[in-house]
Short mmCIF file of all heavy atoms in Angstrom, two decimals:
data_model
loop_
_atom_site.label_atom_id
_atom_site.label_comp_id
_atom_site.label_asym_id
_atom_site.label_seq_id
_atom_site.Cartn_x
_atom_site.Cartn_y
_atom_site.Cartn_z
N LEU Y 2 136.96 82.67 144.51
CA LEU Y 2 137.41 81.61 145.44
C LEU Y 2 137.74 80.32 144.70
O LEU Y 2 138.58 79.57 145.14
CB LEU Y 2 136.30 81.35 146.46
CG LEU Y 2 135.98 82.49 147.41
CD1 LEU Y 2 134.79 82.13 148.30
CD2 LEU Y 2 137.19 82.85 148.29
N ASN Y 15 124.86 84.10 132.17
CA ASN Y 15 123.41 84.31 132.01
C ASN Y 15 123.00 85.68 132.49
O ASN Y 15 122.21 86.37 131.84
CB ASN Y 15 122.65 83.24 132.80
CG ASN Y 15 122.82 81.85 132.24
OD1 ASN Y 15 123.28 81.67 131.09
ND2 ASN Y 15 122.49 80.84 133.02
N ILE Y 16 123.52 86.09 133.65
CA ILE Y 16 123.15 87.40 134.19
C ILE Y 16 123.68 88.52 133.30
O ILE Y 16 123.00 89.49 133.02
CB ILE Y 16 123.68 87.53 135.64
CG1 ILE Y 16 122.95 86.57 136.55
CG2 ILE Y 16 123.53 88.98 136.12
CD1 ILE Y 16 123.51 86.47 137.96
N ASN Y 24 129.78 91.18 125.61
CA ASN Y 24 131.19 90.78 125.53
C ASN Y 24 131.62 90.07 126.81
O ASN Y 24 132.40 89.09 126.77
CB ASN Y 24 132.07 92.00 125.25
CG ASN Y 24 131.85 92.54 123.84
OD1 ASN Y 24 131.60 91.76 122.91
ND2 ASN Y 24 131.99 93.85 123.69
N TYR Y 30 131.11 82.54 129.31
CA TYR Y 30 130.72 81.26 128.72
C TYR Y 30 131.92 80.47 128.17
O TYR Y 30 131.99 79.25 128.32
CB TYR Y 30 129.70 81.47 127.58
CG TYR Y 30 128.32 81.85 128.07
CD1 TYR Y 30 127.59 82.86 127.45
CD2 TYR Y 30 127.71 81.16 129.11
CE1 TYR Y 30 126.32 83.20 127.88
CE2 TYR Y 30 126.42 81.48 129.55
CZ TYR Y 30 125.75 82.51 128.94
OH TYR Y 30 124.48 82.83 129.37
N ARG Y 32 134.91 80.63 129.32
CA ARG Y 32 135.60 80.10 130.50
C ARG Y 32 134.90 78.85 131.02
O ARG Y 32 135.57 77.85 131.36
CB ARG Y 32 135.67 81.18 131.59
CG ARG Y 32 136.32 80.71 132.90
CD ARG Y 32 137.74 80.23 132.69
NE ARG Y 32 138.26 79.61 133.88
CZ ARG Y 32 139.15 78.61 133.90
NH1 ARG Y 32 139.60 78.11 132.75
NH2 ARG Y 32 139.59 78.11 135.03
N ASN Y 46 123.75 78.74 125.12
CA ASN Y 46 123.69 80.10 125.68
C ASN Y 46 124.71 81.02 125.01
O ASN Y 46 124.42 82.18 124.70
CB ASN Y 46 123.94 80.06 127.21
CG ASN Y 46 122.83 79.37 127.96
OD1 ASN Y 46 121.74 79.16 127.43
ND2 ASN Y 46 123.09 79.00 129.21
N ILE Y 68 124.31 70.94 119.27
CA ILE Y 68 123.51 69.83 118.70
C ILE Y 68 124.34 68.55 118.66
O ILE Y 68 123.81 67.45 118.91
CB ILE Y 68 123.04 70.22 117.30
CG1 ILE Y 68 121.99 71.33 117.39
CG2 ILE Y 68 122.49 69.03 116.55
CD1 ILE Y 68 121.65 72.01 116.07
N ASN Y 80 116.94 77.85 116.92
CA ASN Y 80 117.72 79.08 116.86
C ASN Y 80 118.69 79.05 115.69
O ASN Y 80 118.94 80.09 115.04
CB ASN Y 80 118.48 79.27 118.16
CG ASN Y 80 117.58 79.75 119.27
OD1 ASN Y 80 116.36 79.72 119.15
ND2 ASN Y 80 118.15 80.13 120.40
N ALA Y 111 108.45 76.86 115.80
CA ALA Y 111 109.20 76.16 114.76
C ALA Y 111 108.36 75.91 113.54
O ALA Y 111 108.80 76.08 112.39
CB ALA Y 111 109.72 74.84 115.32
N TRP Y 112 107.06 75.55 113.74
CA TRP Y 112 106.16 75.35 112.60
C TRP Y 112 105.96 76.68 111.86
O TRP Y 112 105.93 76.72 110.63
CB TRP Y 112 104.82 74.83 113.10
CG TRP Y 112 104.82 73.36 113.41
CD1 TRP Y 112 104.78 72.78 114.63
CD2 TRP Y 112 104.87 72.28 112.45
NE1 TRP Y 112 104.79 71.41 114.52
CE2 TRP Y 112 104.86 71.07 113.19
CE3 TRP Y 112 104.92 72.22 111.08
CZ2 TRP Y 112 104.89 69.82 112.60
CZ3 TRP Y 112 104.94 70.96 110.48
CH2 TRP Y 112 104.93 69.78 111.23
N LEU Y 122 110.59 80.09 99.75
CA LEU Y 122 111.15 79.24 98.72
C LEU Y 122 110.13 78.96 97.58
O LEU Y 122 110.46 78.30 96.60
CB LEU Y 122 111.60 77.89 99.31
CG LEU Y 122 112.83 77.96 100.22
CD1 LEU Y 122 113.02 76.64 100.96
CD2 LEU Y 122 114.08 78.31 99.42
N GLN Y 130 100.61 73.44 104.57
CA GLN Y 130 100.54 72.35 105.54
C GLN Y 130 101.13 72.74 106.89
O GLN Y 130 100.59 72.41 107.95
CB GLN Y 130 101.24 71.12 104.97
CG GLN Y 130 100.54 70.46 103.79
CD GLN Y 130 101.31 69.29 103.21
OE1 GLN Y 130 102.33 68.89 103.77
NE2 GLN Y 130 100.83 68.76 102.12
N ASN Y 162 97.66 82.84 87.91
CA ASN Y 162 97.43 81.64 88.67
C ASN Y 162 96.10 81.73 89.43
O ASN Y 162 96.05 82.28 90.52
CB ASN Y 162 98.58 81.42 89.66
CG ASN Y 162 98.56 80.01 90.26
OD1 ASN Y 162 97.54 79.37 90.36
ND2 ASN Y 162 99.75 79.56 90.68
N LEU Y 165 96.07 80.07 92.91
CA LEU Y 165 96.70 80.85 93.96
C LEU Y 165 95.74 81.95 94.45
O LEU Y 165 95.63 82.23 95.65
CB LEU Y 165 98.00 81.48 93.43
CG LEU Y 165 99.06 81.84 94.47
CD1 LEU Y 165 99.52 80.62 95.23
CD2 LEU Y 165 100.25 82.47 93.78
N ARG Y 167 92.45 81.89 94.39
CA ARG Y 167 91.39 81.30 95.16
C ARG Y 167 91.87 80.87 96.54
O ARG Y 167 91.11 80.96 97.52
CB ARG Y 167 90.82 80.10 94.39
CG ARG Y 167 89.97 80.52 93.17
CD ARG Y 167 89.52 79.32 92.39
NE ARG Y 167 88.67 79.69 91.25
CZ ARG Y 167 88.31 78.88 90.27
NH1 ARG Y 167 88.70 77.60 90.30
NH2 ARG Y 167 87.54 79.31 89.29
N PHE Y 186 87.61 102.32 118.61
CA PHE Y 186 88.12 103.64 119.02
C PHE Y 186 87.74 103.87 120.47
O PHE Y 186 86.77 103.34 120.96
CB PHE Y 186 87.65 104.76 118.11
CG PHE Y 186 86.16 104.86 117.97
CD1 PHE Y 186 85.42 105.60 118.89
CD2 PHE Y 186 85.50 104.27 116.91
CE1 PHE Y 186 84.04 105.70 118.74
CE2 PHE Y 186 84.14 104.35 116.77
CZ PHE Y 186 83.37 105.08 117.70
N TYR Y 229 77.77 101.41 115.09
CA TYR Y 229 77.81 100.75 113.78
C TYR Y 229 78.15 101.80 112.73
O TYR Y 229 77.51 102.85 112.66
CB TYR Y 229 76.46 100.10 113.46
CG TYR Y 229 76.10 99.02 114.44
CD1 TYR Y 229 75.35 99.30 115.57
CD2 TYR Y 229 76.53 97.72 114.24
CE1 TYR Y 229 75.02 98.32 116.49
CE2 TYR Y 229 76.23 96.72 115.17
CZ TYR Y 229 75.47 97.04 116.28
OH TYR Y 229 75.16 96.05 117.19
N LEU Y 242 84.08 99.33 122.56
CA LEU Y 242 85.10 99.50 123.59
C LEU Y 242 84.47 99.12 124.93
O LEU Y 242 83.38 99.60 125.21
CB LEU Y 242 85.57 100.93 123.65
CG LEU Y 242 86.47 101.26 124.84
CD1 LEU Y 242 87.85 100.78 124.57
CD2 LEU Y 242 86.47 102.72 125.20
N GLU Y 246 88.85 94.93 122.47
CA GLU Y 246 90.19 94.81 122.99
C GLU Y 246 90.35 93.61 123.91
O GLU Y 246 91.40 92.97 123.98
CB GLU Y 246 90.60 96.11 123.71
CG GLU Y 246 90.67 97.31 122.81
CD GLU Y 246 91.50 97.04 121.56
OE1 GLU Y 246 92.61 96.49 121.68
OE2 GLU Y 246 91.03 97.36 120.47
#
Side-chain angles (χ1 to χ4, degrees):
L2 296 175
N15 293 344
I16 292 171
N24 290 327
Y30 285 136
R32 176 58 188 148
N46 293 344
I68 291 167
N80 286 11
W112 282 108
L122 291 170
Q130 291 177 6
N162 193 333
L165 204 60
R167 288 176 178 169
F186 54 87
Y229 298 92
L242 171 79
E246 295 310 312

